[in-house]
């Protein structure tokens, strides 16, 4: 299954942004790409090989006022949705722009990262 070019560009921009956060590291648990800080996931990036639709999962403070208004967005599975994690598809018509996705990645990072790394981010 071919990955739509526009969705892949968004995915790549979000991945690059996430990995640019202080202390961020890329790992591949469960066969998918994630960005972690302090050994904790702050964004699930899924897979980019076309085996699944592209999307990201982030932790938001008020998910109902944010991402759940996007087409196809839903609380994350495996019970993560109860803690504010939201899955956002990138391939659907009306999917958020990369800039908004990056804002949500930063919000997710700020909920997970230790205070010293948040201070480093704020000092940039």
């Amino acid at each position: 299954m071919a990955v739509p070019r526009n969705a892949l560009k968004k995915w790549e921009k979000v991945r690059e942004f996430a990995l640019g956060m202080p202390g961020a590291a890329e790992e591949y648990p469960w066969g998918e790409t994630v960005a972690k800080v302090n050994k904790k996931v702050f964004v699930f990036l899924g897979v980019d090989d076309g085996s699944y639709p592209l999307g990201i999962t982030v932790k938001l403070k008020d998910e109902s006022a944010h991402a759940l208004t996007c087409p196809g967005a839903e609380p994350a599975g495996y019970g993560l949705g109860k803690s504010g994690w939201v899955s956002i598809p990138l391939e659907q018509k009306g999917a958020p722009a990369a800039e908004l996705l990056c804002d949500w990645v930063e919000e997710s990072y700020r909920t997970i990262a230790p205070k010293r790394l948040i201070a480093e981010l704020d000092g940039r």
Side-chain angles (χ1 to χ4, degrees), residues 2-121:
V3 177
R5 186 178 181 146
N6 186 36
L8 186 58
K9 280 185 170 184
K10 285 182 193 180
W11 185 89
E12 289 170 344
K13 187 169 186 175
V14 168
R15 178 183 166 272
E16 183 179 327
F17 178 82
L19 295 177
M21 303 298 260
E26 185 173 50
E27 292 188 16
Y28 305 94
W30 319 289
E32 67 177 88
T33 304
V34 300
K36 290 184 172 185
V37 62
N38 204 30
K39 299 182 182 180
K40 294 181 180 180
V41 175
F42 68 93
V43 61
F44 293 88
L45 295 161
V47 296
D48 65 346
D49 64 4
S51 60
Y52 292 94
L54 275 181
I56 67 166
T57 302
V58 289
K59 184 171 183 172
L60 302 174
K61 292 177 186 168
D62 185 5
E63 69 276 3
S64 61
H66 284 308
L68 289 178
T69 60
C70 298
E74 60 186 13
Y78 304 104
L80 293 173
K82 295 176 187 171
S83 299
W85 288 90
V86 179
S87 294
I88 306 152
L90 303 182
E91 296 181 19
Q92 292 195 359
K93 183 175 180 153
E99 292 76 21
L100 181 56
L101 294 167
C102 289
D103 287 348
W104 290 337
V105 167
E106 182 175 336
E107 182 176 333
S108 186
Y109 175 88
R110 288 176 179 277
T111 65
I112 304 293
K115 289 179 183 174
R116 66 178 171 77
L117 291 177
I118 293 170
E120 183 180 329
L121 178 63

